[in-house]
Amino acid sequence: MSDSSPAAPVVLDVWCELQCPDCHLALTDVHALRARYGDRLEIRLRHFPLEKHKHAYAAAQAAEEAVAQGSGWPYIEAVLARTDGLAARGEKLLVEVAGELGLDAEEFDTALIDGRHMLIVDADQAEGKAIGVTGTPTYVIDGERLDGGKSQEGLRERIEEIADRLLAEEG
């Protein structure tokens, strides 16, 4: 899922899982990066549901339904703000958040049943595994993988260093 125009010269992939408390904390960095770079940095959320979180796979599919309905990031941020609720309430919470955001909650329910977004989630997860993603959040910029699962400390600064270098090269 992409956050800006496809013409952005620098791409940051954020491998994320919507039941992951660390991914919720990573939103602070995502907001700061958006504020600093605007549309010069394309931030793409990539799905990496972890087996230890029972509702992560459904949440990833729901996020793709939110993208299809035009509200990807607002939905993702709303779900990440409720990781504890997601653990306790599962798909009911995913549909409820959709309704709160004015999305078609019935369509979310149907999408979770018919699995229409499974291929996107599976493809993201397979690509993540292929490049060595083992936990979330993990960032990839200019081919460099930065693991935020243990600590976010220093990661935004490293992303900014790489983005600044790439943007300077674009000239």
Side-chain angles (χ1 to χ4, degrees):
M1 186 200 87
S2 179
D3 188 37
S4 65
S5 72
V10 178
V11 174
L12 172 66
D13 284 330
V14 181
W15 300 88
C16 183
E17 194 240 66
L18 299 185
Q19 199 174 335
C20 171
D22 292 331
C23 289
H24 177 240
L25 297 175
L27 280 178
T28 302
D29 287 338
V30 169
H31 291 153
L33 292 165
R34 281 186 192 142
R36 178 173 177 165
Y37 295 103
D39 62 3
R40 297 178 301 145
L41 178 67
E42 179 181 2
I43 300 174
R44 299 188 307 196
L45 180 118
R46 307 298 299 274
H47 301 290
F48 201 80
L50 301 170
E51 289 182 22
K52 68 181 180 179
H53 292 137
K54 181 178 177 182
H55 305 293
Y57 195 84
Q61 291 180 76
E64 285 302 318
E65 181 58 29
V67 170
Q69 292 190 31
S71 291
W73 277 103
Y75 183 82
I76 287 161
E77 291 184 17
V79 173
L80 280 172
R82 301 175 187 187
T83 55
D84 290 340
L86 180 57
R89 298 186 53 227
E91 291 182 13
K92 288 181 181 182
L93 178 101
L94 297 171
V95 173
E96 181 180 292
V97 169
E100 290 171 5
L101 294 174
L103 301 172
D104 184 343
E106 280 187 36
E107 198 61 31
F108 268 76
D109 196 37
T110 302
L112 291 170
I113 292 167
D114 70 21
R116 69 182 74 158
H117 302 295
M118 285 175 36
L119 290 177
I120 294 169
V121 176
D122 289 345
D124 274 2
Q125 191 167 41
E127 184 179 339
K129 286 179 181 178
I131 64 169
V133 174
T134 58
T136 59
T138 297
Y139 306 91
V140 177
I141 183 168
D142 194 36
E144 185 171 340
R145 191 180 74 238
L146 305 167
D147 180 11
K150 296 196 182 350
S151 171
Q152 292 290 118
E153 191 169 331
L155 287 181
R156 185 173 78 216
E157 292 80 10
R158 182 66 187 129
I159 291 166
E160 289 172 348
E161 288 172 13
I162 296 168
D164 289 344
R165 176 179 49 80
L166 293 170
L167 290 167
E169 291 171 3
E170 288 282 320

